[in-house]
Amino acid sequence: MFDILVGTLLPSHAAIPVIKQLNPKGFECYEIYFDDEENIANIAEYSKEVMDAVEGRKISAIAVYGNTMNDKAVYNRVETLIKNAHLFGCNTVCLSAGADPTKNVPDNIPLFKKTFEPLAKLAEEHGVKIGFENCGYGWHGNSDNIAFCPSAWELMFDAVPSDALGLEWEPAHQLCALVDPIPQLRKWAKKVVHVHGKDATVAWDVVREYGTHGIVPYAWHRTPGFGDSNWSDIFTILLQAGFKGSVDIEGYHDPVHYDDMEWTAQITSLEYLKRARGGVEFFEGPVEYRGYQGKRK
């Protein structure tokens, strides 16, 4: 079997009817982010409907994205997801770390510690991994998520040194910051617990002519296969690091393929990502001869 599944990210309010339409198209898993209070409040009943809809496919992660450090309601939702992840047959909860936007990243670390020490302990008790989405900006303040760069991750994981805490990584945010995502992933792959399939395109000619503070946009988020990243390299690094999990396409950002082209682009991306991970269809045999490299696992 493949070590990495490929799926897509869906909002909870639309997930069930959408999943039923996507199952025949080859999506292997789904990440559900909770964008409505009703389904969190009725999570046990909702989980049964989801598990019926997936028809044996995996729920790779459940998520809530908000300011966990600075919004008690978001914190409470995170607690609920950690306690109920098992109902979805998954052990990964993804979120934004959050921030006090009036403070810089180092000055946010005491609040991070206060917020995530109990959440990490709760996650450990329930066998759950927490993945911090790597989006955001603002080292010196004005940030609503401090988990956006390696310098912040070092402070965070040092403040709360729990194996339950990890990264929900994607290359798009690095590229838009003009950072090469490949050496970053090579260094941090062991902390990755979930991957968002979102890429970016950087218009280097615009950067050279106008810089990054001009009036002309210089970078765009893209559906994988249409952006700058070589996802074969990304999968290779993840597999070499022993990652077993999923890459879920985070659509709804591409400035070219959207609206009536959204799902055509996602299905194209689905096949692209499957090929990049090593194959579309798993074929085990013939077992009589597989070369000289020995056992893979």
Side-chain angles (χ1 to χ4, degrees):
M1 292 296 294
F2 292 111
D3 290 340
I4 302 177
L5 302 179
V6 182
T8 190
L9 171 70
L10 296 171
S12 60
H13 82 271
I16 292 169
V18 173
I19 285 170
K20 292 175 181 178
Q21 296 175 69
L22 294 183
N23 285 342
K25 297 300 183 181
F27 290 89
E28 298 168 334
C29 57
Y30 303 97
E31 178 189 5
I32 297 176
Y33 70 93
F34 284 80
D35 63 337
D36 62 311
E37 194 62 43
E38 181 181 352
N39 286 326
I40 288 187
N42 301 288
I43 195 166
E45 180 181 344
Y46 178 73
S47 68
K48 292 176 184 177
E49 296 179 33
V50 168
M51 298 311 287
D52 287 342
V54 298
E55 297 179 340
R57 295 164 185 81
K58 287 184 65 67
I59 297 298
S60 54
I62 54 177
V64 59
Y65 298 108
N67 196 331
T68 311
M69 289 165 56
N70 212 34
D71 188 329
K72 184 61 175 176
V74 174
Y75 182 96
N76 292 340
R77 293 180 198 126
V78 171
E79 280 191 321
T80 298
L81 295 191
I82 292 172
K83 292 175 182 177
N84 291 279
H86 67 281
L87 298 177
F88 297 86
C90 78
N91 65 349
T92 306
V93 171
C94 297
L95 47 80
S96 297
D100 178 345
T102 68
K103 298 180 179 179
N104 62 28
V105 171
D107 288 345
N108 260 292
I109 295 303
L111 178 58
F112 175 85
K113 183 179 178 71
K114 179 181 178 181
T115 303
F116 282 98
E117 272 190 337
L119 287 177
K121 185 174 185 296
L122 184 67
E124 291 168 0
E125 292 170 353
H126 286 80
V128 165
K129 298 286 188 180
I130 292 173
F132 296 110
E133 187 175 19
N134 64 329
C135 65
Y137 59 89
W139 183 266
H140 300 290
N142 297 317
S143 175
D144 59 3
N145 180 34
I146 64 170
F148 64 87
C149 68
S151 297
W153 304 339
E154 290 172 357
L155 295 175
M156 291 160 54
F157 295 136
D158 182 63
V160 186
S162 169
D163 289 338
L165 300 185
L167 299 172
E168 182 178 59
W169 187 88
E170 67 178 61
H173 300 294
Q174 282 68 244
L175 285 167
C176 288
L178 306 186
V179 173
D180 185 344
I182 293 300
Q184 180 187 105
L185 179 61
R186 203 179 302 280
K187 180 177 180 180
W188 287 92
K190 291 287 188 181
K191 289 296 283 185
V192 173
V193 300
H194 187 255
V195 177
H196 270 165
K198 181 149 64 72
D199 206 347
T201 294
V202 178
W204 287 103
D205 57 320
V206 173
V207 174
R208 285 188 288 270
E209 184 173 358
Y210 295 96
T212 60
H213 300 291
I215 62 173
V216 181
Y218 65 89
W220 308 268
H221 287 190
R222 303 302 304 273
T223 307
F226 301 100
D228 290 355
S229 297
N230 182 336
W231 282 80
S232 292
D233 291 341
I234 291 172
F235 277 106
T236 294
I237 294 168
L238 290 170
L239 290 166
Q240 287 176 331
F243 176 78
K244 295 181 180 179
S246 72
V247 173
D248 287 306
I249 298 166
E250 183 184 356
Y252 330 114
H253 290 76
D254 198 298
V256 178
H257 305 304
Y258 63 97
D259 189 32
D260 62 327
M261 275 296 295
E262 176 66 40
W263 291 107
T264 298
Q266 284 213 31
I267 291 169
T268 302
S269 182
L270 176 69
E271 181 168 326
Y272 166 78
L273 290 172
K274 285 181 176 180
R275 292 187 183 282
R277 73 167 174 199
V280 174
E281 181 181 354
F282 184 78
F283 177 56
E284 187 175 12
V287 299
E288 290 82 2
Y289 183 70
R290 292 176 174 168
Y292 297 99
Q293 293 171 280
K295 293 290 185 181
R296 189 170 66 90
K297 300 179 183 177

